[in-house]
Amino acid sequence: AMVAGLVLNGIGWTGIIVTMLAMVVAMGVFSSYPKMKVPTLESLVQGDTRTLVGRTEMWLERQRPALPAPAVQLVDQIGLQLDALGLQLDGLDESVPAAREVRKLVGEQLPGLVSTYTSIPKHLRSEASGGSSPDQHLTDSLGKISTEIDSVTRQLASGAIDNLAIQTRYLDYKYGGALEDGTKVSE
């Protein structure tokens, strides 16, 4: 529109309206393209463990509207934990027991729990049966899964934490801080 205005010595009201319409159409096209496809329950377990964690997080985010408020808070917490867990899984061998545990917890148990809850009719979710309601069962179970995800993340990070402590200790010894008299140790 600016180039046409400079070349033609102005574009007039018609040019301004055409430019605005073109901008609205462009915004509509770009906002609807490309959309991320939300994984289905069956497609969650495909791929490596890190991909599984990412897909489960997207799937879980899509389930939020069907969950009670306390469970939504836990889902938010689990989402953050899954982000951290995904980073820990980078380069992890799939045959390691921790990877199998993550697959089972994040690929089977968590989605299975949420899908079982969402299969209960809405009007029955808050009714107490056997001492507590499905809402309470879901919230309690999500809390346990959150605790377990935290435990697995800590287990996977323990090697890196130990390596950092060893490096820090070495640097203290090598460049100061370990000796009381302040002299530097030579190799």
Side-chain angles (χ1 to χ4, degrees), residues 1-19:
M2 284 189 340
V3 172
L6 290 173
V7 171
L8 300 174
N9 200 15
I11 57 174
W13 285 106
T14 305
I16 291 173
I17 291 173
V18 168
T19 302

Side-chain angles (χ1 to χ4, degrees), residues 32-94:
S32 66
Y33 179 82
K35 287 189 177 182
M36 287 189 72
K37 185 178 177 184
V38 178
T40 63
L41 191 59
E42 295 79 29
S43 70
L44 288 179
V45 294
Q46 298 171 351
D48 64 345
T49 308
R50 185 170 183 187
T51 305
L52 166 79
V53 170
R55 285 182 183 160
T56 302
E57 187 176 359
M58 282 194 328
W59 179 85
L60 193 58
E61 187 67 27
R62 183 67 171 219
Q63 307 305 311
R64 287 183 62 176
L67 304 178
V72 169
Q73 291 174 346
L74 284 168
V75 164
D76 290 341
Q77 179 180 339
I78 289 171
L80 294 173
Q81 290 174 322
L82 290 177
D83 285 338
L85 180 60
L87 294 173
Q88 291 294 322
L89 294 172
D90 193 24
L92 183 69
D93 183 18
E94 293 288 322

Side-chain angles (χ1 to χ4, degrees), residues 129-141:
S129 173
S132 61
S133 68
D135 288 346
Q136 292 167 327
H137 285 297
L138 176 70
T139 304
D140 293 344
S141 297

Side-chain angles (χ1 to χ4, degrees), residues 116-140:
T116 300
Y117 173 80
T118 56
S119 69
I120 299 170
K122 287 184 180 184
H123 67 282
L124 298 177
R125 292 178 185 170
S126 60
E127 287 184 15
S129 173
S132 61
S133 68
D135 288 346
Q136 292 167 327
H137 285 297
L138 176 70
T139 304
D140 293 344

